[in-house]
C-alpha cells in the first residue's frame, strides 16, 4: 500500500507511549506532513462530584502506556494554535484548518484535544480518533470502567472517523481486549497495549474504502460519581480477595480423554466429563493437557507436567495400552505438541517459547536433532501449520499478547521456511478465540480454526471460527460455534482423527500447597 499524507493533532507537542507505539506500528503507511499543536486544551473538572474517580485515575489509568513525552517533529512543520471553545467542544481556527488542504493532507490522526467540532473546513478530511470502548454498548468514558463494573467478558477498542456525535462515526478498525475482573490497572494495561495495532488497520481500511460493520447506538457514559466509584472499588476488592484465595489453595487439574467426533461446527457443542474416556495420568506427572493424535491415530502426544520440576514434558501415549508411554522431550518446558505431516513424514512442532526460537523434531525425538524454522526469530505460542496450494501457513501468538492476539506467517514451497509475516498481522485481536486451540480442521472444503476462550478464565472453552479468506495477502474469519463442558471447565485444546476426538478439560482442586507450587514454578 502507498503511504498517506497525514497530520497529527497534539496537545502541547506531547504524545503518550501507546500513541507513539501506534505510529511506529503504522510507519509504513504514514507520511507526517503537518503537526497541529493545540496549546490551550483544558479539562473542566468537577472535583467534588468526581473526587474518588480522580484518585482512582492516579492508580489505574495513569501508567507507562499513558505517560506523555515531547514528540520530536523531525523537521515536520508544526503549527501552534489556540482552539476556540463552544461549551465543552473545541474548534480548530479556520486559518489552521485551511493548512490541511494546502499541505495535501489525506487524513488527520487525532492524539490531542478533547471533543472536536467538525466544521465546514474539516468535514472533507477524515479525522481518525481512538475510543477505548465498544460503541454498540459503551460510548463515552472512562475507558473500561463501566465494563468492569458490569462484569463484562471483554472491552472494545475502535478507531473511528470523527463526527459531531460522540463515538458515532464510521468505524475503521475494531478489536477487543481482555478484562481482568479484579484489577482495573491490569485491564487498562491490556487495552492500551493492543491499541498499537489499530491505527495501521484503520489506515489500510481507509485506503480500501472499507469500514467495520458495528452498531454505534450504545449508552453514552460519563464520569462516575463518588458513590459509583465506591461501589466499583468494593466490588473489585471482593474479586481480588477471591482471586488470591483461589491462587493460594486451588489448582487446575488438567485431564485428557477421547470421545466420538461430533461433525457440527455451526452451533454450541456441550460435553460432559463423565462421558469422556479419560486417560489416567502416569505416576510422576501432575496433569496431562494439549493432546494431539499421531499420524496413524494409534498414539497421542500430550504435555505432561512433571510433579518434581513443574515443567512440561512431551510424552507419547499408546491408545491401545494407555499405561504405556515414552518421553519425547524433557528438560525444559514443552507444551502444545502440534503434529504435522509433510510429504508423508511426521513432525512435532512443540511450543518452546519459554526457552527457544521455534523448531521441529522428528523420530527419534531428541532435542539435539531439532531443526529451526527460518525467518521466525521471536518465540511463538501454540504454533499451528496448514498447507494450501504449496503455501505453508503458520498460525501463532507472541508471549507479550498470548491470550488476545493471533499472527499469521507463510512460506512458499518449504515447510522449514523462510517464513514471512502476513501483512495483516495481527490477524485477530480478541481474548475470545485468538489463541490457537488445535489444528486447522477441514470439512467439505471449508476451513475451521479452533481458538481458546480466555475471556473469563484461562482455557475455559473453545471458539470455532470459519476461515472465510486465506492467502498471502488476505485473511478473515467469523465465529460460528463453540465447544464447552457443562460439568467442569475447558476444553482448551482439541484434535480430531477419523471418527474420534481427543480434548482436554480441568477441575479446580483444593491443595494446601497450591500457592507454594505457583511460586516454585515461577522462581525455581
Amino acid at each position: 500500500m502507498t503511504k498517506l499524507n497525514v497530520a497529527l493533532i497534539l496537545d502541547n507537542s506531547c504524545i503518550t507511549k501507546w500513541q507513539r507505539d501506534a505510529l511506529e506500528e503504522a510507519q509504513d503507511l504514514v507520511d507526517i506532513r503537518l503537526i497541529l499543536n493545540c496549546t490551550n486544551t483544558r479539562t473542566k473538572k468537577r472535583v467534588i462530584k468526581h473526587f474518588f474517580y480522580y484518585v482512582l485515575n492516579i492508580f489505574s489509568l495513569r501508567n507507562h502506556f499513558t505517560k506523555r513525552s515531547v514528540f520530536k517533529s523531525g523537521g515536520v512543520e508544526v503549527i501552534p494554535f489556540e482552539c476556540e471553545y463552544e461549551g465543552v467542544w473545541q474548534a480548530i481556527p479556520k486559518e489552521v484548518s485551511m493548512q490541511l488542504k494546502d499541505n495535501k493532507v489525506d487524513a488527520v490522526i487525532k492524539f490531542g484535544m478533547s471533543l472536536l467540532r467538525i466544521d465546514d473546513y474539516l468535514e472533507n478530511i477524515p479525522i481518525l480518533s481512538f475510543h477505548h470502548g465498544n460503541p454498540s454498548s459503551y460510548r463515552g468514558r472512562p475507558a473500561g470502567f463501566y465494563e468492569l463494573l458490569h462484569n463484562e467478558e471483554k472491552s472494545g477498542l475502535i478507531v473511528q472517523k470523527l463526527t459531531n456525535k460522540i463515538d458515532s462515526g464510521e468505524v475503521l478498525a475494531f478489536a477487543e481486549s481482555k478484562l481482568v475482573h479484579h484489577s482495573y490497572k491490569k485491564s487498562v494495561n491490556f487495552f492500551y497495549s493492543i491499541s498499537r495495532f489499530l491505527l495501521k488497520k484503520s489506515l489500510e481500511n481507509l485506503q480500501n474504502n472499507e469500514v467495520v460493520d458495528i452498531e454505534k447506538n450504545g449508552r453514552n457514559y460519563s464520569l462516575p460519581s463518588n458513590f459509583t466509584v465506591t461501589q466499583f472499588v468494593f466490588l473489585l476488592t471482593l474479586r481480588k480477595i477471591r482471586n488470591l484465595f483461589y491462587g493460594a489453595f486451588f489448582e487446575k487439574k488438567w485431564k485428557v480423554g477421547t470421545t466420538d467426533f461430533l461433525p457440527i461446527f455451526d452451533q454450541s457443542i456441550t460435553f460432559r466429563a463423565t462421558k469422556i474416556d479419560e486417560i489416567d495420568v502416569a505416576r510422576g506427572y501432575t496433569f496431562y493437557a494439549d493432546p494431539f493424535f499421531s499420524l496413524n491415530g494409534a498414539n497421542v502426544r500430550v504435555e505432561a507436567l512433571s510433579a518434581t520440576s513443574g515443567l512440561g514434558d512431551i510424552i507419547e501415549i499408546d491408545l491401545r495400552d494407555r499405561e504405556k508411554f515414552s518421553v519425547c522431550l524433557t528438560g525444559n518446558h514443552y507444551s502444545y505438541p502440534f503434529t504435522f505431516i509433510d510429504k508423508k513424514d511426521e513432525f512435532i512442532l512443540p511450543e518452546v517459547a519459554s526457552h527457544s526460537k521455534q523448531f521441529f523434531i522428528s523420530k527419534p525425538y531428541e532435542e539435539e536433532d531439532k531443526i529451526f524454522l527460518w525467518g521466525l526469530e521471536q518465540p511463538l505460542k501454540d504454533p499451528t501449520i496448514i498447507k494450501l496450494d504449496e503455501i505453508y501457513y503458520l498460525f501463532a501468538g507472541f508471549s507479550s499478547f498470548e491470550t488476545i492476539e493471533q499472527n499469521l506467517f507463510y512460506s512458499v514451497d518449504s515447510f522449514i521456511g523462510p517464513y514471512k509475516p502476513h501483512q495483516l498481522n495481527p490477524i485477530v485481536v480478541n481474548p475470545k478465540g485468538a489463541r490457537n486451540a488445535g489444528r486447522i480442521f477441514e470439512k467439505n472444503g471449508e476451513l475451521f480454526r479452533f481458538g481458546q476462550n480466555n475471556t473469563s478464565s484461562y482455557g475455559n472453552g473453545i471458539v470455532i471460527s470459519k476461515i472465510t479468506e486465506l492467502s498471502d495477502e488476505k485473511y478473515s474469519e467469523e465465529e460460528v460455534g463453540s465447544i464447552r463442558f457443562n460439568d467442569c471447565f475447558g476444553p482448551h485444546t482439541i484434535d480430531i482423527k477419523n471418527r474420534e476426538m481427543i480434548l482436554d478439560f480441568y477441575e479446580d482442586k483444593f491443595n494446601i500447597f497450591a500457592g507454594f507450587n505457583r511460586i516454585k514454578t515461577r522462581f525455581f
Side-chain angles (χ1 to χ4, degrees):
M1 285 189 175
T2 58
K3 286 190 174 184
L4 292 171
N5 298 329
V6 304
L8 302 182
I9 296 178
L10 304 180
D11 284 330
N12 297 315
S13 297
C14 287
I15 191 170
T16 64
K17 182 184 184 305
W18 72 263
Q19 292 166 346
R20 192 183 298 275
D21 290 343
L23 277 177
E24 182 179 343
E25 195 77 20
Q27 60 183 331
D28 293 338
L29 295 177
V30 297
D31 183 5
I32 302 175
R33 292 292 185 91
L34 199 62
I35 296 175
L36 307 184
N37 181 37
C38 185
T39 59
N40 68 329
T41 294
R42 61 182 183 272
T43 304
K44 185 177 180 180
K45 295 183 178 180
R46 302 174 68 179
V47 177
I48 295 177
K49 181 178 181 180
H50 303 299
F51 177 76
F52 286 178
Y53 167 73
Y54 294 126
V55 174
L56 179 67
N57 190 346
I58 293 173
F59 296 100
S60 53
L61 290 178
R62 295 185 185 179
N63 53 53
H64 70 287
F65 285 110
T66 57
K67 186 176 180 180
R68 305 183 73 82
S69 60
V70 175
F71 183 75
K72 296 180 180 179
S73 62
V76 176
E77 182 182 1
V78 179
I79 301 179
F81 68 94
E82 288 193 358
C83 71
E84 301 163 354
Y85 272 92
E86 304 171 12
V88 297
W89 291 82
Q90 295 174 267
I92 297 176
K94 171 184 173 182
E95 60 272 16
V96 176
S97 298
M98 292 178 67
Q99 292 285 334
L100 298 174
K101 182 177 180 181
D102 293 342
N103 283 271
K104 299 180 180 179
V105 169
D106 299 312
V108 176
I109 301 172
K110 179 180 171 294
F111 282 151
M113 305 183 73
S114 183
L115 296 176
L116 176 60
R117 180 70 68 190
I118 308 299
D119 57 23
D120 294 342
Y121 297 97
L122 295 176
E123 61 181 5
N124 294 323
I125 301 176
I127 300 177
L128 277 54
S129 177
F130 280 80
H131 170 61
H132 292 91
N134 186 334
S136 65
S137 48
Y138 291 93
R139 295 163 53 229
R141 58 176 183 157
F145 179 91
Y146 290 102
E147 289 92 328
L148 276 174
L149 182 66
H150 300 154
N151 202 31
E152 298 285 359
E153 283 191 340
K154 49 193 175 177
S155 177
L157 304 89
I158 65 170
V159 175
Q160 60 183 326
K161 286 185 183 179
L162 212 59
T163 68
N164 288 326
K165 184 178 179 182
I166 296 174
D167 299 328
S168 298
E170 288 184 336
V171 176
L172 293 172
F174 174 74
E176 292 181 287
S177 178
K178 182 178 178 63
L179 289 173
V180 181
H181 290 92
H182 61 271
S183 174
Y184 190 24
K185 185 173 184 177
K186 289 182 179 179
S187 298
V188 166
N189 282 340
F190 266 117
F191 61 65
Y192 278 133
S193 67
I194 65 175
S195 296
R196 65 183 301 164
F197 303 127
L198 267 69
L199 180 59
K200 177 183 176 182
K201 290 185 180 295
S202 67
L203 293 170
E204 290 170 345
N205 284 339
L206 182 65
Q207 291 194 67
N208 294 327
N209 293 315
E210 296 178 358
V211 297
V212 179
D213 184 16
I214 185 172
E215 295 291 335
K216 299 175 285 291
N217 56 359
R219 176 178 170 181
N220 185 16
Y221 287 89
S222 58
L223 293 185
S225 66
N226 290 330
F227 177 73
T228 302
V229 174
T230 301
Q231 289 180 304
F232 179 85
V233 172
F234 178 74
L235 182 63
L236 263 65
T237 300
L238 288 181
R239 294 175 184 169
K240 182 67 174 180
I241 292 172
R242 287 198 296 266
N243 184 69
L244 290 173
F245 183 80
Y246 175 88
F249 299 111
F250 285 88
E251 291 179 328
K252 291 180 173 65
K253 292 297 184 182
W254 287 95
K255 308 172 183 179
V256 302
T258 56
T259 187
D260 292 335
F261 168 45
L262 296 176
I264 302 171
F265 291 99
D266 58 354
Q267 60 181 289
S268 296
I269 303 171
T270 303
F271 289 103
R272 294 185 61 85
T274 53
K275 301 296 183 180
I276 302 298
D277 187 6
E278 183 183 330
I279 299 175
D280 292 334
V281 177
R283 181 175 297 180
Y285 291 107
T286 303
F287 65 65
Y288 291 165
D290 291 347
F292 284 93
F293 285 113
S294 63
L295 172 61
N296 59 13
N299 303 310
V300 63
R301 295 163 190 133
V302 302
E303 173 198 350
L305 191 73
S306 170
T308 54
S309 68
L311 300 175
D313 292 347
I314 300 301
I315 68 171
E316 184 174 271
I317 303 168
D318 188 327
L319 287 177
R320 291 160 295 190
D321 182 358
R322 297 188 174 198
E323 294 184 357
K324 183 180 178 181
F325 71 92
S326 59
V327 178
C328 303
L329 289 168
T330 188
N332 290 299
H333 182 70
Y334 301 95
S335 61
Y336 199 80
F338 176 78
T339 302
F340 182 71
I341 295 92
D342 186 51
K343 299 175 182 176
K344 298 184 179 180
D345 294 323
E346 185 172 14
F347 306 97
I348 296 179
L349 193 72
E351 183 193 303
V352 292
S354 63
H355 63 278
S356 175
K357 295 188 298 182
Q358 190 58 55
F359 62 80
F360 67 88
I361 59 172
S362 59
K363 285 186 177 181
Y365 301 121
E366 300 291 344
E367 185 173 347
E368 53 264 30
D369 296 327
K370 61 189 176 187
I371 299 176
F372 289 97
L373 299 182
W374 299 352
L376 298 170
E377 297 301 318
Q378 188 168 349
L380 304 179
K381 287 286 189 178
D382 301 340
T384 303
I385 286 181
I386 185 172
K387 181 182 179 182
L388 295 171
D389 299 326
E390 301 307 316
I391 298 178
Y392 296 84
Y393 294 98
L394 171 62
F395 295 76
F398 294 147
S399 296
S400 52
F401 304 101
E402 61 187 53
T403 61
I404 55 178
E405 55 105 50
Q406 180 66 216
N407 294 279
L408 181 59
F409 307 86
Y410 64 93
S411 171
V412 180
D413 295 328
S414 176
F415 163 43
I416 301 176
Y419 283 90
K420 297 179 180 179
H422 199 279
Q423 64 181 14
L424 297 182
N425 279 344
I427 55 171
V428 180
V429 181
N430 192 334
K432 186 181 181 183
R435 185 170 180 175
N436 287 325
R439 73 179 70 251
I440 308 298
F441 186 77
E442 182 176 357
K443 178 191 176 188
N444 298 330
E446 294 182 320
L447 298 177
F448 297 87
R449 189 179 70 84
F450 300 121
Q452 297 177 19
N453 185 350
N454 290 312
T455 51
S456 56
S457 60
Y458 171 70
N460 187 20
I462 286 176
V463 175
I464 305 172
S465 296
K466 183 169 74 172
I467 298 175
T468 54
E469 200 166 20
L470 174 59
S471 71
D472 56 355
E473 294 183 347
K474 296 183 178 181
Y475 183 83
S476 60
E477 66 179 36
E478 60 178 347
E479 182 181 335
V480 294
S482 64
I483 304 173
R484 298 199 71 169
F485 280 88
N486 62 7
D487 56 350
C488 62
F489 303 98
H492 93 323
T493 305
I494 187 172
D495 197 19
I496 301 165
K497 189 73 174 178
N498 300 325
R499 302 295 299 177
E500 194 171 26
M501 176 185 297
I502 189 163
L503 67 175
D504 56 9
F505 54 100
Y506 73 90
E507 296 177 300
D508 287 327
K509 292 291 186 179
F510 178 81
N511 184 349
I512 193 68
F513 299 110
F516 173 77
N517 291 338
R518 284 187 169 88
I519 294 173
K520 181 181 70 172
T521 301
R522 179 171 297 182
F523 295 105
F524 297 96

